[in-house]
Amino acid sequence: MEKKPLEIKKLQGTVRPCRETGNRMELAKVALPPHVPDGYDLNDEEMQIYQDVCTTMIGVGLLTMADLDAIVTYTKARHAMKKAWQAVDLEGVTVDIPTAAGTTKRKHPAFMVIADCFQITKDFRSKFGMTPSDRERLSMGSGKEQEKGEFDY
């Protein structure tokens, strides 16, 4: 299939500069921990997590302004997971649920919050290469020649 000329794409409103060869859209890197985006309210614990994550990502050159919403979501999920674990530690792994025949023991409802928050944080870490396996996957896709270790053939 033949590629449409850029002028036609502009007229049709289908031009996407980030996809044009040689005209890749570069996002501005952030040098200092940025302010929290408008519309979000972080408490002191969440703000500490936010600053730590931003500082880590700046250190490895990954943070852009487009990432701030994702960082706030990650921050909120980590904080909610911490609070859920505190509830489990305080109230126990099981809770008594009233039934018609008396009470029955069920898994603490906080485990659902923990599972949801864990998935959010896992996805975030994966997308930003914050685990060893993801860093390996991301570096393999960069097209750079990998240096062989003594056990690599």
Side-chain angles (χ1 to χ4, degrees):
M1 177 183 270
E2 192 173 316
K3 224 175 156 183
K4 288 183 188 175
L6 185 60
E7 293 77 22
I8 302 248
K9 288 182 180 181
K10 284 181 182 178
L11 289 172
Q12 292 175 336
T14 59
V15 67
R16 296 190 333 191
C18 61
R19 289 215 147 170
E20 298 303 318
T21 326
N23 191 15
R24 295 269 179 211
M25 183 171 58
E26 289 293 324
L27 298 174
K29 300 274 191 230
V30 178
L32 299 171
H35 294 289
V36 177
D38 292 338
Y40 295 106
D41 193 25
L42 301 180
N43 64 33
D44 291 339
E45 288 181 48
E46 292 170 336
M47 185 55 94
Q48 184 61 49
I49 295 169
Y50 179 81
Q51 294 293 331
D52 290 346
V53 172
C54 287
T55 302
T56 300
M57 291 180 67
I58 288 169
V60 294
L62 284 177
L63 186 64
T64 66
M65 295 302 286
D67 302 324
L68 299 182
D69 289 322
I71 293 172
V72 170
T73 301
Y74 173 78
T75 298
K76 293 276 191 186
R78 264 187 58 187
H79 187 255
M81 187 165 50
K82 177 183 174 185
K83 292 294 184 188
W85 275 118
Q86 288 172 346
V88 169
D89 291 342
L90 183 66
E91 300 165 12
V93 175
T94 59
V95 293
D96 292 326
I97 305 292
T99 63
T103 62
T104 185
K105 292 209 178 280
R106 296 271 191 242
K107 180 171 60 172
H108 198 293
F111 280 112
M112 184 71 94
V113 173
I114 292 166
D116 290 345
C117 291
F118 178 78
Q119 188 62 46
I120 291 168
T121 58
K122 184 178 131 202
D123 291 347
F124 176 87
R125 288 180 176 158
S126 176
K127 284 188 178 28
F128 287 97
M130 296 174 86
T131 64
S133 63
D134 293 314
R135 279 193 297 277
E136 179 67 23
R137 180 182 49 80
L138 291 173
S139 68
M140 287 176 64
S142 68
K144 294 180 183 174
E145 183 75 23
Q146 295 292 318
E147 199 173 296
K148 288 191 174 193
E150 76 179 275
F151 298 110
D152 293 332
Y153 296 101

